[in-house]
């Protein structure tokens, strides 16, 4: 229990009422006095400066363009066909998405088109290689059967 008393903060010391109270023992009659404040009230801290609006002869027109369609799904699907080429498509699609995030729609369109080209190249390459490998395996299999090495 002695340890409990040691760990507690010291008791709160109250200041006497004379320090904060009005000399008469209450609030001053008739509202607040000016006290130490200047005659006009609070001093002016700063003064805002107003500038006239400038008139431009030509209006600026802001055109908001819609973001291009994302090519990320096509890039990831192309990984199933030929992943070495498709990785480039995935990286370019990621760059296009970053351009959309930065508000650069023209850059996003350009990089998205490059990503689409790489993805289509990966799909075509994978399909052609798959057909060639299938033909070669078919020829080898038929030759093995003709030679009697495969039953």
């Amino acid at each position: 229990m002695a340890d409990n008393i040691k760990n507690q903060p010291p008791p709160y010391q109250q200041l006497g009422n004379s320090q904060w109270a009005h000399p008469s023992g209450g609030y001053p009659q008739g509202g607040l006095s000016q006290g130490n404040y200047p005659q006009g009230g609070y001093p002016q801290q700063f003064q805002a400066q107003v500038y006239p609006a400038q008139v431009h002869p030509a209006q600026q027109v802001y055109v908001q363009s819609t973001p291009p369609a994302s090519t990320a799904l096509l890039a990831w699907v192309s990984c199933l066909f030929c992943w070495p080429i498709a990785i480039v498509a995935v990286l370019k699609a990621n760059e296009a998405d970053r351009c959309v995030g930065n508000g650069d729609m023209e850059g996003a369109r350009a990089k998205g088109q490059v990503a689409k080209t790489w993805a289509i190249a990966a799909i075509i390459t994978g399909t052609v290689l798959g057909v060639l490998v299938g033909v070669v395996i078919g020829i080898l299999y038929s030759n093995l059967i003709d030679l009697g090495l495969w039953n």
Side-chain angles (χ1 to χ4, degrees):
M1 186 179 249
D3 290 335
N4 221 3
I5 295 174
K6 286 182 184 178
N7 293 335
Q8 292 183 353
Y12 180 73
Q13 296 177 355
Q14 293 184 354
L15 299 174
N17 286 344
S18 62
Q19 184 177 2
W20 300 104
H22 193 269
S24 66
Y27 291 109
Q29 299 297 324
L32 296 175
S33 64
Q34 288 293 322
N36 296 332
Y37 297 114
Q39 184 64 24
Y42 290 106
Q44 187 71 19
Q45 295 289 332
F46 63 92
Q47 193 166 12
Q49 296 179 355
V50 178
Y51 297 101
Q54 297 178 358
V55 178
H56 296 284
Q59 287 183 327
Q60 292 181 349
V61 178
Y62 295 100
V63 178
Q64 288 184 339
S65 60
T66 59
S70 177
T71 56
L73 181 64
L74 178 65
W76 282 105
V77 168
S78 68
C79 288
L80 299 173
F81 292 87
C82 184
W83 66 266
I85 297 174
I87 287 182
V88 177
V90 169
L91 293 175
K92 293 296 180 182
N94 189 25
E95 287 179 13
D97 288 342
R98 265 191 265 136
C99 285
V100 169
N102 292 336
D104 181 17
M105 299 306 160
E106 290 304 316
R109 278 190 191 84
K111 290 180 181 181
Q113 192 64 32
V114 171
K116 187 176 181 181
T117 303
W118 278 101
I120 291 172
I123 291 171
I124 291 172
T125 303
T127 303
V128 168
L129 286 177
V131 169
L132 286 176
V133 167
V135 168
V136 169
I137 288 175
I139 291 172
L140 289 176
Y141 181 71
S142 70
N143 286 338
L144 289 175
I145 289 177
D146 290 342
L147 294 174
L149 297 174
W150 193 275
N151 291 341

